[in-house]
Each structure stands twice: as structure tokens, then as C-alpha cells.
Amino acid sequence: MILPIIAYGDPVLRKVGVEIDKDYPNLTELIESMKETMINARGVGLAAPQINKAIRLFIVDTSPFGEDEDLSDKEREYLGSFKKTFINAKMLSEEGDEWAFNEGCLSIPNITEDVFRQEKITVEYFDENFEKHIEVIEGMAARVVQHEYDHIEGILFIDKIASLTKRLIKKKLENISKGLVSTDYKMKFPLLKKR
């Protein structure tokens, strides 16, 4: 089921997600709905707060980067098959040089900004079968995981940009909250005036 994506300005996007266990109600259906919602919106990741659930759950599917001609064959092959569910994730380490990439977010449509992130992470998480993993992830996949992990910590990518840039996009952000933005996927806006 395709769910509406929560827009910037909704308090759920600022909540630190709570851990869940394998008995969380309808977890399998929820993960499936999140995948459908992400694919429908042409995203590469989606966190539970973005569908109005303040829990420690996010999904990542970097397969669209598998088509990127600017990446090496090895990177394209890796990203083309990187599809994972992260439950109760914990960031164990972030290492390496910081590098910039123009990030966007389904909850903040039509705004992209350069964000600096470290190139290598070690993350502990449970998959959809509640099997525990500790994994080292690098490059673009690490960036997508860091972005989604931030969501379950109540952090948005715009928190990581320069304050001047933030001031320049302030009006755009207000308009997103009010629903004054066009997307080709369903959204729920916190300040949309009911007519």
C-alpha cells in the first residue's frame, strides 16, 4: 500500500525513534508498504518517521545508482543490488574523509543541497527477519544509510548545511509545510489549510 509521505514541518520528523521488537504490529506489511511508497516516489531510502511512525526502522534501495555512468563498474554493481531493511540500527562508527554530495529528501521535495558525510560507516542492525548484523558500508551506500539513520534520530539533511544556505531556503521550507509544493507522490502537510 502506498502511504503518504510526511512533509517538512511535521513534529514526527524531529522525534527520536523508539526501538521495536519482532512482535511490532503488522511489521511485514509495514516494510512492504514502505518499499512500495519509496519506489513510487523514486527514492533510494525511506525512514518510518517519513510515514508518521516514530520508530527505529528504515529501508534503503540504492539500485537507481546502479545506472550512474559516473561511477566505476564495481560501485555500480554494488549499488545496483544494495537493498536492505534496518531495524533498531545503531551507528558504531563513521570514518574516513568527509565528502560532499547533493542530497535531497522525499519529505523536503524540490530542495537539494551539498551535505558533507564521512565515507565509511559501521552499523549494527536487525533485518526484517530480526537477524542481527554488524556491517561496514562505504561510499554512496554509506551516505544513503547515514541520511536514513539521521531520520530515526530526528535529524534532517538541512540540519547539516551552512546557516546562510538555510536562510536562503527558509521560504521554500515554509511553503513545503503549507503544501505549496508540487510532487508526483502523495504527501501529508502539517500546515495545509483545510478548505
Side-chain angles (χ1 to χ4, degrees), residues 28-194:
T28 305
E29 292 86 349
L30 174 63
I31 292 168
E32 220 29 66
S33 293
M34 285 176 69
K35 286 177 184 171
E36 284 179 46
T37 302
M38 175 186 68
I39 290 164
N40 177 64
R42 292 195 296 282
V44 291
L46 187 68
Q50 293 180 278
I51 51 143
N52 210 18
K53 298 204 177 295
I55 57 174
R56 297 186 79 76
L57 164 65
F58 62 87
I59 57 170
V60 169
D61 175 354
T62 60
S63 57
F65 290 116
E67 312 293 314
D68 190 336
E69 296 297 321
D70 294 336
L71 300 172
S72 70
D73 289 348
K74 189 178 167 193
E75 281 176 302
R76 284 206 307 265
E77 187 181 335
Y78 176 67
L79 293 169
S81 61
F82 191 89
K83 298 177 185 191
K84 293 179 188 289
T85 299
F86 294 80
I87 299 171
N88 301 339
K90 286 189 184 81
M91 195 66 71
L92 302 180
S93 72
E94 295 175 271
E95 320 162 52
D97 294 332
E98 287 200 339
W99 60 291
F101 186 81
N102 202 253
E103 289 188 22
C105 177
L106 296 176
S107 292
I108 310 174
N110 307 335
I111 293 179
T112 60
E113 293 295 338
D114 279 350
V115 176
F116 284 87
R117 295 189 189 271
Q118 286 170 286
E119 61 191 352
K120 182 176 171 184
I121 60 171
T122 305
V123 63
E124 176 185 297
Y125 67 97
F126 292 91
D127 63 21
E128 60 273 25
N129 303 313
F130 263 83
E131 288 174 25
K132 189 176 185 175
H133 302 265
I134 293 179
E135 195 170 339
V136 175
I137 305 169
E138 296 183 59
M140 188 60 79
R143 174 173 292 276
V144 177
V145 171
Q146 286 166 308
H147 178 110
E148 298 309 326
Y149 182 83
D150 280 350
H151 272 299
I152 65 170
E153 291 290 325
I155 298 166
L156 299 172
F157 84 94
I158 54 169
D159 299 340
K160 297 180 177 287
I161 62 176
S163 52
L164 172 64
T165 311
K166 230 184 267 184
R167 284 200 297 276
L168 293 173
I169 62 169
K170 187 173 187 254
K171 189 72 185 151
K172 281 185 183 173
L173 291 170
E174 286 170 8
N175 285 341
I176 290 169
S177 296
K178 294 173 186 167
L180 302 174
V181 65
S182 170
T183 61
D184 53 6
Y185 50 89
K186 264 195 319 193
M187 290 195 79
K188 191 170 166 223
F189 303 96
L191 302 179
L192 182 62
K193 298 277 183 269
K194 301 280 186 270

